[in-house]
Structure formats: structure tokens, C-alpha cells
Amino acid sequence: MEQCASVEREVDKVLQKFLTYGQHCEQSLEELLHYVGQLRAELASAALQGTPLSATLSLVMSQCCRKIKDTVQKLASDHKDIHSSVSRVGKAIDRNFDSEICGVVSDTVWDSREKQQQILQMAILEHLYQQGMLSVAEELCQESTLNVDLDFKQPFLELNRILEALHEQDLGPALEWAVSHRQRLLELNSSLEFKLHRLHFIRLLAGGPEKQLEALSYARHFQPFARLHQREIQVMMGSLVYLRLGLEKSPYCHLLDNSHWAEICETFTRDACSLLGLSVESPLSVSFASGCVALPVLMNIKAVIEQRQCTGVWSHKDELPIEIELGMKCWYHSVFACPILRQQTSDSNPPIKLICGHVISRDALNKLINGGKLKCPYCPMEQNPADGKRIIF
């Protein structure tokens, strides 16, 4: 991100110069107009009196013309300086960013261009559906001639419909969805349904003493959740004592915090996406953010490969030539790198647990077999290679 910061600094300099130039230009022109106005008034007064133009007034007119000329030249010079600052922004962009990044990776690494285009279009389409931009997604489907099944759209349409209702503080659609998926939510140890009922109960509390009986009646919905959420239910029941005095000035004022609505939107999005097999974050956003981190490293690798004339360093599309640290945010599952071959395991080369407890990759196991026997590279135990067990993380 240092490249972006460098360009941003140049842009800030240009904006500051624009601001300073604008203020200076406005002030200079106002002073000039005021000076010319005074001179005009003096000339008009002399003309009314019918007196000839005095030497003093002629000198003042000459000074005024010279001042106008100097001011215009100064403003023009400052304007040229801004042009040079703008051009430095372009140079900073060229200096910090490679104009052609397609050459970072060999074409043989990727699928065909048609396949690439289809994958990219589907990623953009999923991003648009996930962000609720349904009309834009439909337009993309028509213009790109993508054939998208209704089964693909339906989960996104339903999620966006419920989220729109939650943003308008309408709990009905979300409660209906949570009740219909209650069993599967319980399997995920989700507290979504309880949080929705709690929020509805809090809305009743906010209605004041007139809603007290309705709130007590609605509290029956907490019965299935009493074992797991006993403390929270007790807090809500205790708030009824202060209902006539006003919850705003009671120890339970935190129940009326608007942050509960943002929390319920996040909880619903997370649990619903998990239930429907969707990612909480857009895959396109995650890929773009990861690419911004990885691209500078890959460009450096490309330069080294070209300098040393290395070939075949990166020829597989399922792995990178070096490991790139993307941060904890991009960790989605456990990975295992073979300590022998120092390669990340995959479906075709899974991790194998030996009898002694040490774990190596299948390729490493096959290379260590000697005379039908396998000797663990970490301990002297000899064993039968067929006794190794595949590990699934």
C-alpha cells in the first residue's frame, strides 16, 4: 500500500495548491477591482469638473496598468506551476504502478480466455446480488448472455428482502425465516431466533406502560431459550420494574441502544449465509483485497525470474511460486505443508499420519519407501507404508 500512499501524497499537494491558488486569485482580483474602482471614480470626478487630466492622475493610471499586468502575469505563472504539480501525479502513478500487470503471470497458468471471462462475470454477478444491487445484476445477465438459474438467485433475493426489512426495523420476515429454519439453526448453535425475539420484546418495552401486558404475554417466546440465555431473560424481566418510571433513566437503559439493530443485521447475515452455504463477504471483494496485497510481491518475483532467466518456476495454476502472507483476515481453513518436501498438501497429495504419529505428505511417503519398508524421517521406527492413515483437517 506504500505505492498508493505515495500517489495520495502527490494528489494532496495538488489539492492544497488548488486551494491556495484559488484563495490568492480571489484576493488579488478583489484588490485589483477595488483599486480600479477608485481610479474610475477619480476620473469621473475630474470629467464632471471639466478639468484637464493632471500629471498625478496620469501617473496613477500608469501605475494601475502596470499593476494589472503584473497581477495577471503572477496568476498565470502560479497557474503554470499547478500544471506541473498535476503532471507529477501522473509520473507518480507511472513510477509506483505497473501499467501492464497481465504479464505478471504466464498465460499457461490460467484457463482459456472464454473461461476466465465467464468466471469473472459470475464473480461480479454474485457480488451484485450479495450487495442487493439486483437491477444491475439483471442488466449484467442480459448484456453478458449469462444463463443464471433461479436457484442461484433465490437465496440472495431472500436475504436482501429480509435485510431490507431489518434496516427498516421490521422483524417480521426475519422471525418467520428463523422459525422455519429453527432446527438447522440449532445445529449451528445459532442464537439468531432468540435475539430476534429479544429485540421484539425490547421494542414493546420502548412503548411504555401501555405495552406492559403485551410484553409479558410475548415473554412466553423465551421459554425454549431459558436454559442457554437465562441471564439475558432475567435482565429483560427485571426491566419491567422500571417501565412506569421510564427505561431511559433506569439501569436498563442499555436495552434501548440502537446498536442492537446493527448487531441483529450482522448476526442474521452471518448465520443465514452459513446455513445457505454462502460466504459472508463477497468473494470478489476478498479476491480483490488479496490481489492488492499479493500483486506487488508477484511483480518482484517476475522481475527476478526475468533477470535470472528462470523458466518453469510457476507453471501450476493451483499454487504460487512463493508463500504470500495475506493476514489473519484471509485465513478460512487449516493448511498443512509437508515438512519433508516443504509443499502445501492438496487433494491429490494429502497429508498422511504414520504409526509413530508424525505427519508427512503422500508424495514424501512414496519417495521414502525403500524395499517395501518406510523409515520415519523423524524417528527410527520402521513401518509398513500401507499403515499410514490419511488426515482430513
Side-chain angles (χ1 to χ4, degrees):
M1 300 304 289
E2 179 60 32
Q3 290 85 352
C4 294
S6 177
V7 174
E8 188 176 11
R9 285 192 293 270
E10 294 294 336
V11 173
D12 289 340
K13 290 179 183 177
V14 172
L15 294 177
Q16 184 60 40
K17 284 194 174 183
F18 266 115
L19 180 62
T20 305
Y21 176 78
Q23 294 173 346
H24 174 67
C25 183
E26 186 176 356
Q27 182 180 357
S28 299
L29 291 177
E30 285 180 356
E31 291 176 355
L32 199 58
L33 286 172
H34 180 69
Y35 185 70
V36 172
Q38 288 180 333
L39 180 59
R40 182 180 179 184
E42 292 179 9
L43 290 172
S45 176
L48 289 174
Q49 294 176 3
T51 58
L53 196 64
S54 64
T56 304
L57 204 55
S58 298
L59 180 62
V60 171
M61 287 183 63
S62 299
Q63 291 175 346
C64 180
C65 292
R66 191 180 305 112
K67 186 172 183 179
I68 292 174
K69 183 178 180 181
D70 292 343
T71 302
V72 171
Q73 288 179 346
K74 180 68 168 61
L75 293 177
S77 176
D78 292 343
H79 194 267
K80 288 180 180 179
D81 186 45
I82 292 179
H83 278 285
S84 64
S85 299
V86 173
S87 66
R88 280 197 290 270
V89 174
K91 292 177 182 177
I93 294 174
D94 294 337
R95 185 172 61 253
N96 289 282
F97 297 98
D98 195 331
S99 58
E100 179 57 54
I101 62 175
C102 296
V104 171
V105 183
S106 173
D107 292 336
T108 58
V109 171
W110 309 112
D111 296 317
S112 63
R113 181 171 295 275
E114 293 76 14
K115 185 68 173 177
Q116 291 181 46
Q117 186 175 8
Q118 184 180 2
I119 292 173
L120 180 59
Q121 289 174 348
M122 287 299 297
I124 296 174
L125 189 66
E126 183 175 346
H127 175 80
L128 293 174
Y129 275 125
Q130 192 159 357
Q131 298 300 316
M133 294 182 276
L134 307 180
S135 59
V136 182
E138 292 297 330
E139 189 69 25
L140 176 61
C141 284
Q142 295 177 6
E143 293 186 5
S144 62
T145 65
L146 283 173
N147 295 321
V148 181
D149 297 332
L150 183 61
D151 294 339
F152 175 81
K153 302 179 185 178
Q154 191 58 39
F156 298 106
L157 297 175
E158 187 175 19
L159 286 179
N160 282 290
R161 176 181 64 84
I162 296 173
L163 281 173
E164 286 179 5
L166 287 176
H167 289 144
E168 296 174 1
Q169 299 191 356
D170 179 10
L171 295 169
L175 273 170
E176 183 181 349
W177 185 89
V179 170
S180 62
H181 296 84
R182 176 178 295 168
Q183 189 57 42
R184 296 181 63 189
L185 287 171
L186 289 175
E187 293 174 0
L188 293 174
N189 293 321
S190 170
S191 58
L192 174 63
E193 187 180 352
F194 168 74
K195 289 183 177 180
L196 289 168
H197 285 304
R198 182 186 65 177
L199 197 53
H200 185 79
F201 182 83
I202 291 173
R203 290 191 68 182
L204 294 175
L205 293 179
E210 296 80 7
K211 295 286 186 177
Q212 183 172 2
L213 291 178
E214 187 178 350
L216 283 170
S217 176
Y218 192 83
R220 297 172 184 172
H221 289 87
F222 296 136
Q223 185 177 357
F225 311 100
R227 184 175 62 85
L228 295 176
H229 302 280
Q230 181 180 357
R231 176 59 182 165
E232 294 171 89
I233 295 172
Q234 288 174 345
V235 169
M236 286 186 287
M237 293 298 102
S239 66
L240 292 170
V241 177
Y242 292 88
L243 198 58
R244 294 188 180 278
L245 300 176
L247 289 181
E248 298 82 0
K249 299 179 181 180
S250 73
Y252 300 94
C253 60
H254 65 277
L255 294 176
L256 303 178
D257 196 338
N258 284 329
S259 63
H260 293 302
W261 288 100
E263 180 188 351
I264 200 65
C265 289
E266 292 177 4
T267 303
F268 172 78
T269 302
R270 183 183 65 250
D271 292 350
C273 288
S274 178
L275 195 68
L276 298 173
L278 303 174
S279 59
V280 178
E281 295 183 77
S282 163
L284 183 63
S285 300
V286 175
S287 300
F288 183 81
S290 302
C292 290
V293 176
L295 190 58
V297 181
L298 295 178
M299 291 172 66
N300 291 336
I301 288 296
K302 175 195 172 187
V304 172
I305 291 175
E306 290 179 349
Q307 183 180 4
R308 299 185 179 181
Q309 298 182 349
C310 302
T311 58
V313 175
W314 188 6
S315 58
H316 301 286
K317 62 183 178 181
D318 58 348
E319 64 179 23
L320 297 175
I322 60 169
E323 184 175 351
I324 299 177
E325 180 61 48
L326 297 178
M328 291 288 292
K329 189 177 179 181
C330 293
W331 287 13
Y332 295 99
H333 54 81
S334 301
V335 295
F336 176 77
C338 175
I340 305 301
L341 300 180
R342 302 193 180 280
Q343 294 177 348
Q344 185 175 316
T345 54
S346 61
D347 291 337
S348 59
N349 180 30
I352 303 295
K353 176 179 174 293
L354 306 179
I355 296 178
C356 55
H358 294 111
V359 180
I360 59 177
S361 66
R362 177 177 290 170
D363 288 350
L365 183 144
N366 293 333
K367 290 182 178 181
L368 291 171
I369 296 176
N370 186 10
K373 290 290 183 179
L374 170 68
K375 186 175 182 179
C376 176
Y378 289 97
C379 64
M381 180 180 290
E382 285 193 358
Q383 50 200 293
N384 189 343
D387 293 335
K389 302 291 185 182
R390 177 176 177 176
I391 293 180
I392 298 177
F393 292 100

